[in-house]
Amino acid sequence: AVQLLRNDRNLGKAASLWRGAQLALASGVDAVVTLDGDGQHAPEDIPRLIAAARQNPGSIVIGARLADRSAIPKLRYFANRAAVFWLSWACGQRLDDSQSGFRVYPAELFRKVSISHDRQHGFGFESEILIEAARFGHRCAMVPISALYRAGARVSYYRHLDTLRIIRMVAWKLLSRGLYPQGFYRAFFRPAPRT
């Protein structure tokens, strides 16, 4: 059975994710699975992400699109690498793909965090929730997936202005924590825990 949620108007990605998560929580779920609507993610990989979530309770599981780097357009790849550096620092843990929308979130995370989810915060929501989750002690686990760039797929709604908003948010999070040197150390010098 599927319950389809449709917004009367475009509320943005953050509001749609938040609305879906709240409905799922009201249904008593243990986890919330998200994937982007632009066809980049194979739904057939959902069981792999759920298995990783079971092996890493309380972690956010991210489908890291690095299984075949040659399939990723070069500009997107370099933008992703830059985002990974800054978000790894802000989260205090090494990430492989901070921009993938293919994730499994522990349900309790949506009860703990308070993140703006209006239209202006659309694409920044997924970056900010990683930072806020880390503050509550949630780790991230990565599952390698392929990046799918199909001919004729729906064009992403992501715009350069979204990049600037994410940069501003991450910079503010780091500055508000005195540049968070512990996070830099944990992300780039401390060995990652074995999962």
Side-chain angles (χ1 to χ4, degrees):
V2 173
Q3 184 171 359
L4 175 65
L5 296 180
R6 186 179 301 275
N7 297 324
D8 293 333
R9 59 187 172 81
N10 186 349
L11 301 175
K13 186 173 187 179
S16 294
L17 287 170
W18 189 262
R19 186 174 175 219
Q22 296 308 310
L23 180 69
L25 293 178
S27 302
V29 300
D30 295 324
V32 175
V33 178
T34 65
L35 61 152
D36 291 339
D38 59 5
Q40 278 193 40
H41 312 306
E44 296 81 9
D45 286 330
I46 291 173
R48 293 178 49 228
L49 271 67
I50 291 174
R54 288 187 176 130
Q55 292 173 351
N56 300 278
S59 294
I60 297 172
V61 176
I62 301 174
R65 300 163 295 176
L66 301 176
D68 182 10
R69 293 180 183 174
S70 64
I72 303 172
K74 288 190 184 340
L75 186 59
R76 282 191 182 194
Y77 177 76
F78 289 118
N80 191 304
R81 294 292 84 207
V84 161
F85 172 81
W86 292 104
L87 280 161
S88 292
W89 181 352
C91 292
Q93 58 188 309
R94 188 178 301 266
L95 304 172
D96 292 330
D97 185 352
S98 62
Q99 301 306 298
S100 174
F102 198 3
R103 300 177 179 186
V104 178
Y105 294 98
E108 75 263 15
L109 179 61
F110 287 97
R111 294 184 188 100
K112 293 178 184 176
V113 299
S114 176
I115 298 174
S116 296
H117 48 275
D118 57 17
R119 188 176 172 115
Q120 182 179 357
H121 292 86
F123 285 96
F125 178 87
E126 291 170 308
S127 297
E128 188 170 5
I129 200 167
L130 295 179
I131 297 169
E132 292 305 309
R135 288 187 182 195
F136 283 101
H138 293 272
R139 305 283 305 162
C140 292
M142 305 289 156
V143 174
I145 62 169
S146 295
L148 307 175
Y149 294 95
R150 297 182 177 104
R154 181 184 65 76
V155 177
S156 174
Y157 294 120
Y158 188 89
R159 300 293 175 256
H160 295 298
L161 182 59
D162 296 309
T163 300
L164 296 176
R165 287 178 175 150
I166 293 170
I167 290 169
R168 182 181 65 190
M169 179 274 297
V170 174
W172 173 249
K173 297 282 185 182
L174 286 171
L175 289 171
S176 68
R177 297 181 82 179
L179 292 181
Y180 193 33
Q182 306 94 324
F184 187 84
Y185 172 77
R186 290 177 189 145
F188 303 113
F189 295 103
R190 186 173 72 180
R194 296 188 181 265
T195 57

